[in-house]
């Protein structure tokens, strides 16, 4: 078993934690991937080179990424379908910041107390935990996403409440908005950290959670959050969070070989994702991109942008076809998470690159400072455009599958300081930046839930 694999027996692991101090919010951060060199520049289209030139000049831009050579119209189970993929034409513009910011916290004792409770969560391992001195620094920064918008958090909502109102907690979202619900999570190692952060956040708030490997599946792991110990909750209810295993699923599609030259099957979802979809999740949170930058992906006759776009379009079509057969008039939600920057300076992860900042770097241009960070920026713009066109094409349909952009890249942009070490500039200390992503997602679910109730 690889060092980062879950060390779970086939028997159940039950655990219950009761924090001694009322938990307050924690902070969170980045991701990324890529290194560009002469060989990569040689394969870029003239339009893409022009795009990058204007991008570095900070001007709004517009360009087009060529569509895949052929549309993919085969379902996850090999059945021919006639539904088209999203429009491949792409209009890119410089995304605006200002959707949130990191603020200094003077007294962090309650945050350190919360971290101690959080670290009793049995899912955490060496790839999640950091040294005490790193937490002393990174927990001094708090994400503020505002009262509304796609980067607002539950904590932001609680701070706007009247003094006599009880703060909204993650457990409130579970009991009021996600009873008897299945949440699926799949993707790369940062999605694995998101799964850990999701479950360990609920663990820290006192939820009873039982984690098992799911019988008759190859790798699926399920954490079941029981509601019977939660106040004002039906004792028969629960929420399942399912992860598609530490074998990882970096392309969402089936593939053989490994990076940088994987043989990706654009007509078939990854086997673990197919198994997850057969369990009929109500929410599916996915990502691809970490393994799809110019240093990690070198496919013949295709640059990394074309390959990334094709993977997004193909996976969206296949997921939609698979879930649509199970929706029975009720919408399923698929959330595509954006790719945050990695923060390697002076080289790539395998050529001596490091991230040595001890506080957020608000003073640098992330696109030009970190290796390959422009690649993640372009990936995220492609993802936004493809999902936008997909939603436009599906607007007004009853039931089926609804796609949402889960854009957390801005929360990570300045957080070079929040990684596990100076040499691992991709993964984060938990609790930390990734927990902000959990809080943002829960806030979006809460807001939609309350709107549905007319509140």
């Amino acid at each position: 078993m690889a060092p980062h694999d879950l060390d779970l027996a086939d028997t159940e692991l039950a655990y219950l934690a009761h924090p001694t101090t009322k938990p307050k919010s924690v902070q969170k951060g980045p991701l990324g991937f890529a290194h560009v060199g002469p060989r990569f520049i040689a394969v870029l289209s003239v339009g893409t080179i022009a795009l990058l030139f204007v991008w570095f000049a900070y001007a709004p831009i517009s360009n087009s990424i060529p569509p895949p050579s052929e549309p993919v119209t085969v379902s996850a189970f090999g059945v021919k379908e006639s539904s088209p993929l999203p429009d491949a034409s792409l209009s890119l513009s410089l995304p605006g910041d200002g959707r949130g910011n990191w603020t200094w916290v003077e007294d962090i004792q309650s945050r350190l107390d919360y971290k101690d409770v959080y670290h009793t969560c049995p899912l955490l391992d060496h790839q999640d935990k950091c040294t005490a001195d790193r937490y002393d620094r990174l927990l001094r920064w708090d994400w503020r996403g505002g009262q509304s918008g796609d980067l607002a958090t539950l904590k932001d909502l609680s701070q706007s409440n009247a003094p006599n109102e009880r703060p909204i907690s993650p457990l409130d979202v579970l009991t009021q908005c996600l009873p008897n619900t299945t949440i699926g999570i799949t993707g790369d190692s940062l999605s694995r950290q998101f799964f850990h952060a999701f479950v360990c956040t609920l663990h820290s708030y006192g939820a009873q959670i039982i984690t098992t490997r799911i019988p008759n599946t190859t790798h699926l792991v399920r954490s079941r959050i029981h509601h019977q110990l939660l106040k004002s909750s039906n004792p028969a209810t629960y929420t399942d969070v399912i992860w598609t295993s530490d074998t990882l699923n970096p392309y969402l599609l089936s593939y053989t070989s490994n990076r940088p030259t994987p043989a990706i099957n654009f007509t078939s979802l990854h086997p673990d994702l197919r198994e997850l979809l057969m369990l009929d999740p109500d929410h599916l949170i996915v990502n691809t991109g970490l393994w799809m930058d110019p240093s990690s992906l070198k496919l013949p006759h295709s640059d990394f942008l074309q390959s990334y776009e094709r993977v997004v379009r193909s996976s969206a079509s296949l997921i939609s076809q698979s879930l649509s057969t199970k929706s029975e008039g009720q919408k399923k939600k698929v959330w595509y998470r954006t790719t945050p920057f990695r923060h390697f300076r002076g080289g790539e992860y395998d050529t001596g690159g490091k991230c040595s900042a001890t506080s957020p770097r608000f003073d640098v241009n992330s696109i030009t400072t970190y290796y390959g960070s422009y690649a993640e920026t372009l990936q995220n713009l492609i993802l936004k455009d493809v999902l936008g066109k997909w939603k436009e094409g599906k607007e007004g349909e009853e039931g089926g599958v609804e796609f949402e952009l889960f854009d957390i890249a801005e929360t990570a942009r300045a957080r070079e300081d929040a990684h596990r070490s100076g040499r691992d500039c991709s993964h984060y200390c938990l609790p930390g930046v990734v927990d902000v992503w959990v809080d943002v997602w829960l806030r979006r679910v809460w807001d939609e839930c309350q709107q549905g109730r007319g509140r």
Side-chain angles (χ1 to χ4, degrees):
M1 179 177 290
H4 59 272
D5 284 349
L6 287 174
D7 187 15
L8 292 176
D10 289 335
T11 56
E12 295 182 342
L13 294 177
Y15 52 93
L16 174 64
H18 298 283
T20 56
T21 302
K22 184 175 182 59
K24 295 188 177 181
S25 32
V26 245
Q27 12 294 119
K28 315 31 179 165
L31 151 49
F33 230 155
H35 174 52
V36 60
R39 291 182 60 193
F40 165 70
I41 294 295
V43 301
L44 283 177
S45 66
V46 173
T48 305
I49 293 175
L51 171 62
L52 293 177
F53 177 83
V54 181
W55 183 276
F56 293 139
Y58 297 96
I61 48 181
S62 176
N63 205 347
S64 224
I65 301 298
S69 56
E70 55 193 86
V72 179
T73 54
V74 181
S75 76
F77 305 100
V79 180
K80 293 277 186 180
E81 303 285 354
S82 58
S83 57
L85 289 174
D87 188 349
S89 62
L90 189 60
S91 176
L92 303 182
S93 60
L94 186 65
D97 292 338
R99 294 180 297 145
N101 59 76
W102 292 96
T103 59
W104 172 262
V105 177
E106 186 65 35
D107 183 2
I108 64 166
Q109 187 55 53
S110 62
R111 294 170 177 270
L112 294 173
D113 293 341
Y114 175 82
K115 181 262 297 179
D116 291 341
V117 174
Y118 187 102
H119 278 183
T120 64
C121 177
L123 288 185
L124 300 178
D125 61 17
H126 75 285
Q127 206 173 47
D128 301 319
K129 295 182 179 181
C130 297
T131 59
D133 62 310
R134 296 187 80 85
Y135 286 113
D136 288 342
R137 295 195 304 268
L138 76 89
L139 292 181
R140 289 193 177 277
W141 293 94
D142 181 35
W143 175 258
R144 301 290 176 87
Q147 298 308 317
S148 61
D150 60 353
L151 288 180
T153 64
L154 289 177
K155 173 192 61 191
D156 293 320
L157 181 64
S158 297
Q159 290 172 342
S160 69
N161 288 347
N164 59 339
E165 287 188 74
R166 182 178 64 84
I168 304 299
S169 82
L171 300 185
D172 293 318
V173 183
L174 253 64
T175 56
Q176 297 187 41
C177 305
L178 297 170
N180 296 327
T181 296
T182 298
I183 302 164
I185 301 172
T186 189
D188 55 35
S189 54
L190 277 166
S191 279
R192 174 180 172 274
Q193 283 206 302
F194 182 83
F195 167 63
H196 286 183
F198 195 106
V199 173
C200 293
T201 293
L202 298 167
H203 163 89
S204 301
Y205 276 82
Q208 183 189 45
I209 304 171
I210 297 176
T211 298
T212 61
R213 294 197 182 277
I214 300 178
N216 303 317
T217 67
T218 307
H219 298 114
L220 300 189
V221 174
R222 174 174 57 209
S223 288
R224 173 161 290 183
I225 299 99
H226 292 273
H227 292 197
Q228 66 260 35
L229 298 183
L230 307 180
K231 294 180 180 179
S232 304
S233 176
N234 184 329
T237 61
Y238 60 87
T239 301
D240 280 346
V241 185
I242 300 177
W243 163 241
T244 52
S245 91
D246 285 3
T247 56
L248 304 183
N249 177 17
Y251 310 111
L252 304 179
L253 303 171
S254 296
Y255 70 98
T256 56
S257 302
N258 210 332
R259 56 180 176 181
T261 56
I264 301 175
N265 183 347
F266 290 94
T267 67
S268 178
L269 292 170
H270 189 280
D272 291 341
L273 178 51
R274 292 203 302 270
E275 286 189 332
L276 172 57
L277 293 174
M278 293 180 70
L279 297 178
D280 197 21
D282 302 280
H283 294 271
L284 180 65
I285 306 171
V286 307
N287 84 287
T288 183
L290 193 62
W291 289 22
M292 297 199 68
D293 61 76
S295 69
S296 299
L297 188 70
K298 302 182 186 300
L299 298 182
H301 314 300
S302 177
D303 67 37
F304 83 98
L305 290 177
Q306 290 174 305
S307 299
Y308 175 81
E309 185 214 10
R310 189 177 181 190
V311 163
V312 170
R313 295 173 69 227
S314 300
S315 61
S317 179
L318 295 170
I319 290 171
S320 178
Q321 292 164 21
S322 178
L323 286 179
S324 293
T325 63
K326 302 177 174 63
S327 62
E328 297 181 354
Q330 182 178 1
K331 277 192 180 295
K332 307 289 186 179
K333 279 215 169 185
V334 180
W335 306 74
Y336 271 76
R337 177 175 60 73
T338 52
T339 305
F341 299 156
R342 298 175 311 153
H343 291 87
F344 287 99
R345 293 171 177 262
E348 257 295 349
Y349 67 96
D350 56 351
T351 58
K354 297 180 181 179
C355 46
S356 56
T358 57
S359 62
R361 295 303 306 272
F362 303 116
D363 59 331
V364 301
N365 176 3
S366 301
I367 295 176
T368 57
T369 299
Y370 301 113
Y371 266 62
S373 58
Y374 80 94
E376 286 96 34
T377 302
L378 292 175
Q379 286 178 347
N380 294 339
L381 289 167
I382 290 172
L383 179 61
K384 180 179 181 179
D385 189 85
V386 169
L387 292 186
K389 287 184 169 58
W390 179 280
K391 291 182 69 172
E392 288 175 7
K394 298 293 182 180
E395 189 173 358
E397 291 187 5
E398 296 294 329
V401 182
E402 184 176 347
F403 284 83
E404 294 284 350
L405 180 71
F406 183 26
D407 185 3
I408 47 73
E410 177 62 18
T411 66
R413 180 177 55 83
R415 297 308 305 271
E416 180 187 339
D417 62 309
H419 294 289
R420 290 183 53 254
S421 71
R423 294 187 179 276
D424 182 354
C425 307
S426 299
H427 302 96
Y428 293 93
C429 303
L430 298 184
V433 167
V434 180
D435 297 77
V436 169
W437 307 348
V438 173
D439 201 0
V440 167
W441 188 82
L442 290 172
R443 171 64 187 275
R444 289 183 63 176
V445 170
W446 175 263
D447 286 348
E448 292 179 7
C449 174
Q450 299 309 302
Q451 290 170 7
R453 295 178 177 182
R455 295 176 59 179

